[in-house]
Each structure stands twice: as structure tokens, then as C-alpha cells.
Amino acid sequence: MAKAKPYYAPGSLSAVFYDRITTADARLLGDEDIYANLVPAGENILELGAGTGRLTVGLAQRAFHVCGVDISPTMLSQAEARVAKQPPELRARVELRQGDMTSLDLKRTFDLVICPFFTLAHVPTGAAWRNTFAVAARHLAAGGLAAFHLPKLDLMRGLDPPDPRRPVMDQPLGDGRALLLFVLERSFKDGINRLEQVIEYVLSDETGRIAHRSAERLTYYMTDPVPLAATAGLVPDRPPIDLGGVGDIFVFRKTSGAQDPAP
Ligand SMILES: C[S@@+](CC[C@H](N)C(=O)[O-])C[C@H]1O[C@@H](n2cnc3c(N)ncnc32)[C@H](O)[C@@H]1O
């Protein structure tokens, strides 16, 4: 596979252009409504993988108190900038922290834990998933809900080989520049259900010349989350909710007998 930076790494264009690309992605439409309808407005939400604060701020605008945690300083700094633009009463409802969702321990509980937009799929299935479910359970009282948005495995497995010369996105940036995305490489590994893609971000200037290009590796892992969530005392609360035909939101409830599993 080609040399490429990890997604959301410092200096990556996946981080810089995250909001622009995500806003253009109709397959995510409605995720905020789904999370907002899981608990009454005003309650406390822990967001694992808060990114640039798209949902953190959106949910705070709906009167929730949101603690957003992310491992990437580059993504978190954008979330901080987004929060800084909000009115003081909203800023008071948001807390941002750098942290790893596979080991986090804030020593307090929330009414809802969310892990949106394929965030759990960024870490390998097995121990990292079990630990993340344990983290979710640790931050909930018995009866609390945890929602995980995961990609559909059949779609991951069935993706066509990429055409590295044909852009999968070509977006004018409104200032004369344009952003193009190419999938340079794509492979799916059966057994561990790992989809690896190298996506090239190409930024052209006002004259159409290439000003910057960056190859970045996006890796997703997927498996049935139900048995792994059960190890943390999280049981399905309802059937998975389809989002945009490309993923499902799995909603779990913490059972009353659940113990905090050893880290
Ligand atoms: C696709 S973005 C989702 C951002 C935001 N929740 C949204 O829905 O727009 C995934 C985020 O998960 C973060 N992430 C990946 N692994 C993580 C980990 N182990 N702990 C915390 N955050 C992680 C990435 O840095 C990235 O910001």
C-alpha cells in the first residue's frame, strides 16, 4: 500500500476539510435527530470521538449538556474554535477533552453515551471494541443508553476496486479553489473485516493548478457489536436504526447487574 498519513493526523487534509466533506454527505442526514430523541433535552451526553464538534455543538444547541472526547488534537482544536463562536449559555453546556475512548475514565456518569459516524470502526474489533463498550458502560448508570453508529459490513465487503484517476468528489471551495478526492487504493480483509483505503486529497488553486496533495489512510473494522457489547453489560434496546443506507445506529441499554469490567 502507498505511503499515507493516518486520517485526522496533524497536518492531514481529512481533518482540515472534515466539516466541508461531512456537510456534503447526505448519508449522515438525521443522525443528530436520532441521538436527540434518545433522552429528554437538558440531559447529559458523553460523545466518544467528538471530532470537530459537529454533533457536540448541534446537541448543545438543543439544550443538552455535552462532553465531547477525541483522540486527535487537530480535530479537537476545530471543535474548540466552533464552540468559541457560540453564545456563553451554550458554551457553558459543552466540555471538550482529549482522550482515548478505549480507556477513558471520567469518574462520572451521563444519561446517554454516543459514538457517532463510524468512530468505533476506526479501532480494531476485539479488545479495542470490548474496552470501548466497557468505557460506555462505566459512564452510564443502570438503565442508561449507549448509541454506536457503525458501517454496514456487506457494503464494506462489496465495494468495487477504485479508479484512482476518477475523482469521487470534486467540490469548489467558493474562493476559486477546489477540493478533489481520489481513492488510490482499497482492500478488504476477510476474517478481521478490515477495509483499508488510501484517499488522496487534492487542492487546486484559483488557476486550476494543484496547490497541495495528501494521501491519507482510512481504515474501518466491523463485526457484530452485540456479543462484544454484552461483555460490558450492554444489551440491545431496539432494532438497529438505518442511517442513509450505509450504516446503522445500534442502541444499547446498560443492564442493572452490569459490573465495570477490569480495564
Ligand atoms: C468520523 S469522525 C466523527 C466526528 C463526530 N462525532 C461527527 O459525527 O462528526 C471520528 C472521530 O473519532 C476520533 N477517534 C478515533 N479513534 C478514537 C479513539 N480511540 N478515541 C477517541 N476518539 C477517536 C477521530 O479522531 C475522529 O475525530
Side-chain angles (χ1 to χ4, degrees), residues 19 57 61 77-88 90-91:
D19 281 331
V57 168
Q61 279 164 344
S77 63
Q78 293 186 70
E80 278 155 8
R82 188 193 291 260
V83 172
K85 288 188 206 132
Q86 306 302 318
L90 188 145
R91 292 205 302 269

Side-chain angles (χ1 to χ4, degrees), residues 23-259:
T23 312
D25 192 344
R27 298 166 304 181
L28 275 182
L29 281 177
D31 64 344
E32 188 182 305
D33 291 337
I34 293 172
Y35 301 124
N37 287 328
L38 292 173
V39 286
E43 295 210 328
N44 294 299
I45 299 178
L46 171 61
E47 183 182 8
L48 302 176
T52 59
R54 174 182 73 93
L55 290 166
T56 324
V57 168
L59 290 166
Q61 279 164 344
R62 298 179 183 225
F64 291 99
H65 293 256
V66 191
C67 175
V69 175
D70 204 282
I71 203 164
S72 157
T74 317
M75 296 294 270
L76 265 186
S77 63
Q78 293 186 70
E80 278 155 8
R82 188 193 291 260
V83 172
K85 288 188 206 132
Q86 306 302 318
E89 64 278 13
L90 188 145
R91 292 205 302 269
R93 290 197 292 277
V94 175
E95 183 188 341
L96 293 170
R97 283 175 171 254
Q98 189 178 358
D100 183 343
M101 67 181 174
T102 67
S103 58
L104 186 74
D105 188 358
L106 298 176
K107 311 234 178 283
R108 63 189 214 261
T109 58
F110 296 81
D111 301 297
L112 172 67
V113 176
I114 62 173
C115 189
F117 193 12
F118 304 170
T119 295
L120 184 62
H122 287 284
V123 298
T125 57
W129 277 40
R130 264 197 305 277
N131 292 341
T132 307
F133 287 125
V135 163
R138 178 183 298 155
H139 292 93
L140 289 170
L145 296 179
F148 289 82
H149 180 202
L150 289 165
K152 289 188 195 284
L153 183 56
D154 288 351
L155 292 183
M156 283 170 60
R157 189 181 275 128
L159 285 170
D160 290 330
D163 178 348
R165 286 152 311 172
R166 184 191 293 257
V168 291
M169 202 191 89
D170 181 351
Q171 216 186 74
L173 297 178
D175 54 4
R177 297 180 308 156
L179 177 67
L180 287 88
L181 262 60
F182 298 84
V183 182
L184 299 187
E185 295 176 22
R186 174 180 287 149
S187 66
F188 183 82
K189 194 159 175 49
D190 269 315
I192 56 170
N193 295 340
R194 183 186 67 205
L195 174 67
E196 246 189 298
Q197 303 190 90
V198 175
I199 299 182
E200 188 174 39
Y201 285 67
V202 177
L203 198 55
S204 66
D205 65 17
E206 307 73 16
T207 67
R209 262 203 311 261
I210 292 175
H212 190 44
R213 59 200 316 156
S214 173
E216 305 190 2
R217 187 181 311 277
L218 177 61
T219 307
Y220 285 144
Y221 300 86
M222 182 54 192
T223 191
D224 178 2
V226 173
L228 293 170
T231 63
L234 297 174
V235 295
D237 181 67
R238 64 196 77 192
I241 305 164
D242 174 89
L243 190 68
V246 291
D248 294 292
I249 297 179
F250 291 81
V251 183
F252 297 98
R253 187 174 292 278
K254 179 171 172 173
T255 53
S256 47
Q259 305 281 318

